[in-house]
Amino acid sequence: MTELLLRLFVRDYRNAESPSVHSAIGKLAGMTGIVCNLLLFLGKFIAGLLSGSVSVVADAVNNLSDASSSLVTLLGFRMAQQPADRDHPYGHARYEYISGLVVAALILLIGADLAKSSAAKILHPAEVDFSSVTIIILLCSIAVKIWMSVFFAALGKRICSATLHATSVDSRNDVIASAAVLAGCLAGFFFGVNIDGWIGLAVAIFILYSGVSIAKETVSPLLGKRADPELVERINRLVLSHDKILGVHDLLVHDYGPGQCFASLHAELDAEEDPLVCHDVIDDIEWDALEKLNVHLVIHYDPVVLNDQEWNETRSAIDEIIRGIDPRLSMHDFRMVRGSKQTKLVFDLAVPYSMTDRRRELKECIEKELSSRGMTYDTVIRFDGKE
């Protein structure tokens, strides 16, 4: 069904890296969510009114909130498609994240209201008239929501969308909520046990939990979460695939929304290589990153000395020292600045975030170990954080 809908409504749907395809798939998801959730709302709401069940009405209102969420998602994808302008040079793709945050806010508001209604029903229970029609509607709802969860998950994975992933999780939670309501209906239908208010409260809690989870997922990229490890690996692999690149480090990825990814890194090349040749190599890599990964990459050129015996021996010694301290440590941007009286060693040390409070200790340990090997240098260490 997913492939069929994509073929019918999204042109060139296999090219998921394209911003236009990304937007079209998001809009398809939004429209599908609106239609399905409105139909589910109407069916459950009528069944809830006829039976007098607050839990069924709560589940219906949950579907209405999902329809509103799908509408916001649709608007978010549409607004994110706006091109860059003078006030927003990096584009408007973060509207997709903002729409996810609005969805979370709507879910939390509705969840709180339903919790209030359910608590009132617990304190003042009323007779509920369940019927086989209500049970059939709930069974159909569960089947539709299972399909929707799988559908949104597939689309979210295809275009790497946190918003669609959140929508998939929300649909999965709806399956659990509807199953709980169905359990309450069956208990009342077969055993005459009235747990309607408690089931409604459980549904409200699921809605609130879903809202909090979605809020966390959508706020994270707005705050600047760490880059996707798979994307980091693809960027590193692309840069290192060029023969003249000796190493890469200091990769920074800035996410301005789907299709608006900017990155920078340092690339090491032989210091004896013609600078014009190095410039051309870097230019080629930057264009490759844009065409193949849809990443606006900027590369800083780091010349590396390869034919200096003292340089090579000292670097090897420091590599050995830092590995002995902790295998998670790594060094880059190593330079030797020779003065009239003393040689200065300058390098960056990448340190796990859990060790950032040990910087002074690490510097003293490295200097002490160098001195024990008869290497007397003035060391200048710049510390970088890493995972």
Side-chain angles (χ1 to χ4, degrees):
M1 178 64 78
T2 301
E3 290 291 321
L4 175 61
L5 290 174
L6 287 171
R7 282 199 300 269
L8 290 175
F9 297 104
V10 180
R11 182 181 301 175
D12 194 24
Y13 69 94
R14 296 186 187 279
N15 184 18
E17 299 288 342
S18 169
S20 61
V21 173
H22 180 102
S23 178
I25 291 177
K27 293 174 186 176
L28 172 63
M31 286 301 302
T32 303
I34 291 171
V35 172
C36 290
N37 282 307
L38 283 178
L39 291 175
L40 290 175
F41 163 73
L42 289 173
K44 290 182 185 177
F45 189 71
I46 293 171
L49 290 180
L50 292 176
S51 63
S53 168
V54 68
S55 63
V56 175
V57 172
D59 203 24
V61 175
N62 182 31
N63 289 136
L64 182 61
S65 74
D66 291 339
S68 302
S69 301
S70 296
L71 177 60
V72 172
T73 299
L74 178 63
L75 293 175
F77 275 100
R78 183 177 293 277
M79 295 173 70
Q81 204 176 10
Q82 297 178 61
D85 54 36
R86 185 175 64 180
D87 295 328
H88 305 91
Y90 299 107
H92 299 78
R94 280 187 174 174
Y95 269 124
E96 183 178 331
Y97 301 148
I98 294 173
S99 70
L101 192 58
V102 173
V103 168
L106 289 173
I107 291 173
L108 288 171
L109 286 172
I110 291 174
D113 185 63
L114 292 179
K116 180 180 177 181
S117 301
S118 298
K121 193 68 178 281
I122 292 172
L123 295 174
H124 306 287
E127 186 176 347
V128 177
D129 181 23
F130 289 115
S131 67
S132 57
V133 174
T134 303
I135 295 173
I136 292 172
I137 289 175
L138 289 173
L139 286 172
C140 292
S141 170
I142 291 172
V144 171
K145 278 294 183 176
I146 290 174
W147 175 81
M148 290 175 66
S149 179
V150 174
F151 177 68
F152 291 137
L155 296 187
K157 183 178 181 180
R158 183 181 290 266
I159 63 174
C160 299
S161 171
T163 299
L164 293 187
H165 171 69
T167 306
S168 171
V169 171
D170 188 34
S171 295
R172 183 199 64 192
N173 289 342
D174 289 342
V175 171
I176 298 173
S178 295
V181 173
L182 178 61
C185 290
L186 293 174
F189 187 75
F190 289 108
F191 305 106
V193 178
N194 188 350
I195 56 174
D196 185 52
W198 293 103
I199 294 295
L201 183 60
V203 172
I205 291 173
F206 270 113
I207 293 172
L208 290 170
Y209 173 79
S210 176
V212 171
S213 299
I214 293 172
K216 287 181 178 179
E217 290 188 16
T218 52
V219 166
S220 187
L222 290 172
L223 293 177
K225 69 174 183 179
R226 73 183 182 96
D228 178 9
E230 182 180 348
L231 177 61
V232 170
E233 175 61 28
R234 292 175 68 190
I235 293 174
N236 284 329
R237 191 164 56 243
L238 182 144
V239 177
L240 291 171
S241 67
H242 291 70
D243 294 338
K244 295 187 182 297
I245 302 298
L246 304 176
V248 296
H249 55 84
D250 282 356
L251 172 60
L252 299 174
V253 179
H254 306 277
D255 180 8
Y256 289 91
Q260 291 294 322
C261 184
F262 295 78
S264 63
L265 60 77
H266 291 217
E268 299 174 351
L269 295 96
D270 189 343
E272 297 185 1
E273 192 73 60
D274 186 338
L276 293 178
V277 172
C278 293
H279 182 271
D280 287 342
V281 169
I282 288 173
D283 266 357
D284 289 343
I285 296 173
E286 290 173 344
W287 278 109
D288 280 351
L290 185 59
E291 292 179 358
K292 297 177 181 178
L293 305 179
N294 199 28
V295 173
H296 302 267
L297 181 62
V298 177
I299 299 177
H300 173 78
Y301 164 44
D302 272 350
V304 177
V305 177
L306 298 178
N307 298 318
D308 185 313
Q309 183 176 353
E310 183 185 5
W311 188 97
N312 287 326
E313 289 177 353
T314 307
R315 174 164 182 152
S316 296
I318 294 180
D319 272 332
E320 184 180 333
I321 290 169
I322 64 175
R323 282 199 304 271
I325 296 173
D326 194 305
R328 295 175 296 170
L329 300 176
S330 60
M331 176 186 63
H332 57 83
D333 275 359
F334 179 81
R335 301 192 301 280
M336 297 184 71
V337 183
R338 294 183 172 92
S340 57
K341 294 183 179 180
Q342 191 176 27
T343 299
K344 182 184 294 185
L345 299 183
V346 183
F347 58 89
D348 291 4
L349 187 64
V351 179
Y353 291 114
S354 60
M355 297 177 64
T356 52
D357 58 340
R358 296 178 55 193
R359 294 180 178 183
R360 183 187 296 274
E361 176 190 342
L362 291 171
K363 186 176 188 299
E364 291 175 353
C365 186
I366 291 171
E367 290 174 342
K368 181 179 179 181
E369 185 62 29
L370 280 173
S371 179
S372 69
R373 299 185 182 202
M375 298 179 173
T376 305
Y377 296 107
D378 179 20
T379 60
V380 178
I381 304 176
R382 295 177 300 188
F383 291 89
D384 295 333
K386 71 172 186 177
E387 290 295 323

